[in-house]
Amino acid sequence: MNSCQLWDFKMWALMGAVCLCHCVFGQLFESKLKGAPRLICSVPGSPGLPGKPGPSGPAGADGNVGIPGRDGRDGRKGEMGEKGDTGIKGRVGPTGKIGGRGDRGPAGKQGPRGENGEVGPPGPLGHNGEKGEKGKQGTRGTSGICKCGSLLPKSAFSVGITSSYPTEKTPIKFNKVLFDEGGHYNPRTGKFICAYPGIYFFSYDITLANKHLAIGLVQNGQYRIKTFDANTGNHDVASGSTVMYLNPEDEVWMEIFYHDQNGLFSDPGWADSLFSGFLLYADTNYFDTLAEDYA
């Protein structure tokens, strides 16, 4: 007998026992109620065939939630899915930092020669080279014509004035030019401007009337001579002279140096207030250089 048949036999025996007990207790209960004598059941017969399964009973109430089970094992890695469609292009991100300079690549092939460009501007002058050796003496040339007179610098002037009582502390404008060799005196400014360096002689003879006279000879803003003549009620003459060395562009003029002491008088028809000057001799170094330029 296999285990399945043994199990069926035990079930039939159990069902028989249950039916027997039900019969006995049913009769005892019934006899007790009716007062009948107690009967004893006979030996039960063989069990009948099992009946058809009864209808399912109503669903029972939900039970309590059980304790959560343990996490299951990770499943196997699924197969790779198909490639999806290309997504929408995203926004351009911020510019990254400039990377380091890479290694220099190999030199490429030499390209074709281009056309000649335009000539560029001349470059700056180079440094003077070293002095060369003295060359051989050349043949003697023909004698030249001496023009030494044209090398002598000339500068002289003598000027007068046609108005009286000029403004103090400003160059007196001697506007009546009597002589101006070289054109170095400017009647619009009243100043003599040196053209040749050397020794110069200057003098003045000024008529005064009605006022005192404080007059001086000025070189580049510095007084070289100052003379003061008091008015005695009559016409008088103030004079002065000096010798001085001048450089090119030096300026010389006459000026009233004291307030309200400008008794300089002049008659437009006369030449009674004069300012004069001339070059005695030029600077020898300057003259030698000038001669070399003419040679």
Side-chain angles (χ1 to χ4, degrees):
M1 180 179 294
N2 55 26
S3 60
C4 184
Q5 291 175 347
L6 181 61
W7 172 257
D8 291 340
F9 177 77
K10 288 181 180 182
M11 288 296 294
W12 285 112
L14 180 60
M15 291 179 65
V18 171
C19 291
L20 181 61
C21 292
H22 180 73
C23 180
V24 173
F25 284 105
Q27 291 182 3
L28 289 176
F29 183 73
E30 184 178 1
S31 63
K32 188 176 181 179
L33 293 174
K34 297 180 178 181
R38 186 175 58 180
L39 298 178
I40 300 172
C41 293
S42 61
V43 177
S46 59
L49 297 172
K52 296 180 179 180
S56 300
D62 296 335
N64 296 328
V65 179
I67 299 173
R70 288 182 291 182
D71 295 337
R73 296 179 180 178
D74 295 336
R76 296 180 180 178
K77 186 175 181 180
E79 297 180 359
M80 184 176 181
E82 297 180 358
K83 185 176 180 180
D85 298 334
T86 303
I88 300 173
K89 187 176 181 181
R91 296 180 181 178
V92 179
T95 304
K97 296 181 179 180
I98 299 175
R101 184 175 182 179
D103 297 334
R104 185 174 182 179
K109 296 181 179 179
Q110 184 175 1
R113 184 174 181 179
E115 298 179 358
N116 293 332
E118 297 180 359
V119 179
L125 295 176
H127 298 290
N128 294 331
E130 297 180 358
K131 187 176 180 180
E133 297 180 358
K134 186 177 181 179
K136 297 180 180 180
Q137 185 175 359
T139 58
R140 185 172 183 177
T142 58
S143 300
I145 300 174
C146 179
K147 296 183 179 179
C148 300
S150 61
L151 298 179
L152 295 176
K154 300 175 182 180
S155 180
F157 73 96
S158 182
V159 291
I161 191 169
T162 59
S163 60
S164 302
Y165 314 124
T167 305
E168 301 90 346
K169 295 187 178 181
T170 186
I172 301 173
K173 297 178 182 179
F174 290 86
N175 58 335
K176 188 175 182 179
V177 178
L178 304 178
F179 181 77
D180 188 10
E181 177 69 37
H184 302 147
Y185 175 81
N186 188 346
R188 291 187 299 273
T189 62
K191 294 181 178 181
F192 170 80
I193 301 177
C194 175
Y196 308 109
I199 306 300
Y200 285 80
F201 175 83
F202 293 96
S203 65
Y204 58 89
D205 291 280
I206 306 297
T207 300
L208 67 152
N210 302 324
K211 294 183 180 181
H212 303 313
L213 179 64
I215 194 167
L217 181 70
V218 184
Q219 177 191 4
N220 298 333
Q222 301 293 326
Y223 288 103
R224 294 301 181 183
I225 302 175
K226 280 185 175 182
T227 56
F228 180 82
D229 288 275
N231 178 32
T232 59
N234 298 317
H235 288 74
D236 199 352
V237 176
S239 62
S241 62
T242 187
V243 174
M244 65 178 70
Y245 180 87
L246 297 182
N247 289 304
E249 304 301 325
D250 279 359
E251 297 178 337
V252 179
W253 68 87
M254 299 293 298
E255 184 178 296
I256 304 295
F257 65 85
Y258 196 79
H259 179 68
D260 202 26
Q261 302 292 324
N262 57 348
L264 185 150
F265 176 80
S266 178
D267 190 317
W270 302 349
D272 47 359
S273 293
L274 301 176
F275 174 38
S276 303
F278 56 88
L279 174 65
L280 287 175
Y281 55 88
D283 189 315
T284 55
N285 294 329
Y286 177 83
F287 188 80
D288 292 341
T289 303
L290 191 66
E292 291 177 0
D293 292 340
Y294 273 89

